[in-house]
Amino acid sequence: MTAHSQTSVAVETNSNAVWVAVYSLSVLAALQVGRISPVLEPLSEGLGVGFVEFGWLVSLITLASAIFGVIAGLLVVAAGLRQSILIGAFALASLTLLTAIAPTLWALLFLRALEGLAYLAVVVAAPTVIAATATPEKRAEALAYWGTFFIVGLSVASAVGGWMADHFGWRVWFMLCGALTAVAAMVATKFLPTIRVKEGGNVKFAHTLRSLPKSLWVLSLAFLITTVLSVAILSMLPLFLSSQFEISIVRAGVLSGIIALDSLFGNLVYGKLSSRLTDQTLFLCSTFCAAVGAILGFSSTNWITSLFGCVIVLFFVGILVAMCFAAVPRLTDGSTGQVGAANGLLTQFGGLGALLGPPAIGAVAGTLGWPALAFVLAILCAIEMSLLRTALMPKDEMKEHV
């Protein structure tokens, strides 16, 4: 099986309309990731879901990304970008609707694992479609703005899911999520172009993987840390506020959901600053400020200061997420096969961070305490700074700064 090195859009397209269609599908894919978190109590009453099973339901959708990300990046190019994102979206809608009528916990877990494959198809094909259809001068900005999809989807799920489940039941909430995804997929068929691969320049999968520059692997490691920083705040802050300041877990969850949107602003700010400031300035400032925010967030004796610290972390995490996705096209040779593989690699490392991050962060906080967690997060920021310096700065430029 081979992927091809170059693509051409079959029809004249409006890149803005394509971006909106792709972004909408991506947000709804992220909505499926987050739709479980607000409905622990009704799931516990309806299917006997305990804390362990609930943890699996939340994270199981990321398992496919953690294992098959790179392969998916190549497959979506070989199968066709338009076909891949639409098949993934329709499959995700169908599986979500099936979870609404799942009779047992085991059926729900099985369907959740399959959802992960459909989710992977959407989020790996999406940035590759944008890279193939956006004009060169707008590509980095378009990818940076697309990077907001995950936090938007999670925030919508957190804000709406609990209310829907309380008033209409978790099954109706799941049906609504599936129906919205199906409608968005049908609308997207009108706007997504066929992106044809030129017949010349076939590249074998193994060769494409071997040809990925080392800088992309280093960038993906940095993205893993970025994901861990994000999930550390979103998963641990409610428990921290509840245990340290006696804030109710419900109120703490609402506060966490609100400040999660701060990452969105970080993404948007990067889109505006990327053409004015160097990568070095942005990642040095972002990782340093995120480290300071982590220390404030989990070692403060005042809950307002803690929230402020977490706001700082999430804002600069938003910048780092946008920077990573925007860097992919220029770190590759420009071929669609390599861009697809690179997006898959980034998604795979992000999936690993989302899958392994919560239990690792929880273990640190549970065994060593909250101040130790703040220290660990600050150390991770320093490591990420070094990784981004290696990935994004040319060797000759690095020598000048030594």
Side-chain angles (χ1 to χ4, degrees):
M1 188 179 293
T2 59
H4 300 269
S5 63
Q6 297 180 347
T7 61
S8 62
V9 179
V11 295
E12 195 70 27
T13 63
N14 182 334
S15 60
N16 291 331
V18 173
W19 187 92
V20 170
V22 169
Y23 185 74
S24 299
L25 293 178
S26 302
V27 168
L28 287 165
L31 182 73
Q32 311 314 332
V33 176
R35 79 174 193 274
I36 298 287
S37 297
V39 295
L40 169 59
E41 186 174 340
L43 281 175
S44 178
E45 295 174 355
L47 296 178
V49 175
F51 283 105
V52 175
E53 295 85 357
F54 181 71
W56 278 109
L57 282 173
V58 170
S59 64
L60 200 56
I61 194 171
T62 65
L63 182 63
S65 298
I67 298 174
F68 302 116
V70 179
I71 295 174
L74 291 165
L75 286 175
V76 296
V77 175
L81 294 173
R82 183 180 189 273
Q83 295 91 320
S84 296
I85 194 170
L86 289 176
I87 290 172
F90 280 117
L92 188 58
S94 301
L95 290 165
T96 303
L97 290 171
L98 286 174
T99 62
I101 58 173
T104 66
L105 171 60
W106 287 107
L108 190 58
L109 286 167
F110 176 71
L111 291 168
R112 189 70 170 160
L114 293 181
E115 278 185 63
L117 295 172
Y119 168 81
L120 180 60
V122 173
V123 300
V124 170
T128 312
V129 170
I130 293 172
T133 56
T135 58
E137 60 271 17
K138 292 184 178 180
R139 187 173 295 141
E141 188 176 7
L143 287 167
Y145 290 156
W146 173 81
T148 65
F149 81 92
F150 193 74
I151 197 67
V152 171
L154 292 187
S155 298
V156 171
S158 298
V160 178
W163 183 86
M164 282 290 300
D166 285 344
H167 287 78
F168 304 103
W170 65 270
R171 294 184 186 275
V172 174
W173 164 235
F174 284 10
M175 286 182 183
L176 176 63
C177 291
L180 287 174
T181 306
V183 170
M186 286 187 284
V187 173
T189 60
K190 304 295 184 182
F191 297 99
L192 292 177
T194 298
I195 302 173
R196 293 201 186 106
V197 180
K198 292 184 177 180
E199 293 181 358
N202 291 341
V203 180
K204 294 182 179 179
F205 277 26
H207 174 78
T208 302
L209 289 177
R210 287 195 300 268
S211 69
L212 289 177
K214 292 180 181 179
S215 57
L216 277 171
W217 293 90
V218 178
L219 181 71
S220 298
L221 280 173
F223 188 66
L224 185 152
I225 294 177
T226 303
T227 305
V228 171
L229 291 173
S230 180
V231 300
I233 300 298
L234 297 178
S235 62
M236 300 307 296
L237 181 59
L239 182 58
F240 176 71
L241 293 176
S242 177
S243 63
Q244 298 298 107
F245 304 111
E246 298 182 351
I247 297 174
S248 73
I249 195 68
V250 174
R251 184 184 176 197
V254 171
L255 290 172
S256 300
I258 292 173
I259 69 168
L261 290 172
D262 191 47
S263 184
L264 170 64
F265 294 111
N267 283 112
L268 298 176
V269 167
Y270 175 80
K272 295 298 183 183
L273 295 181
S274 58
S275 60
R276 304 175 186 177
L277 299 176
T278 64
D279 281 341
Q280 183 189 17
T281 300
L282 288 168
F283 73 68
L284 286 176
C285 178
S286 297
T287 51
F288 176 77
C289 291
V292 173
I295 293 172
L296 285 175
F298 289 106
S299 62
S300 175
T301 56
N302 180 281
W303 71 272
I304 296 178
T305 305
S306 292
L307 276 182
F308 178 68
C310 291
V311 165
I312 292 175
V313 176
L314 289 173
F315 176 80
F316 286 102
V317 160
I319 291 179
L320 292 170
V321 168
M323 181 184 295
C324 288
F325 278 109
V328 167
R330 72 173 186 268
L331 293 181
T332 66
D333 60 10
S335 68
T336 304
Q338 204 173 86
V339 171
N343 284 321
L345 185 67
L346 214 62
T347 302
Q348 183 160 341
F349 276 76
L352 283 171
L355 185 66
L356 303 178
I361 292 299
V364 171
T367 57
L368 302 177
W370 296 109
L373 175 60
F375 177 76
V376 167
L377 294 178
I379 292 297
L380 287 176
C381 289
I383 294 172
E384 181 167 13
M385 180 190 295
S386 177
L387 291 171
L388 288 172
R389 184 171 185 267
T390 301
L392 299 178
M393 291 181 65
K395 291 183 180 179
D396 55 346
E397 187 176 336
M398 288 178 65
K399 290 178 181 178
E400 294 176 4
H401 288 82
V402 174

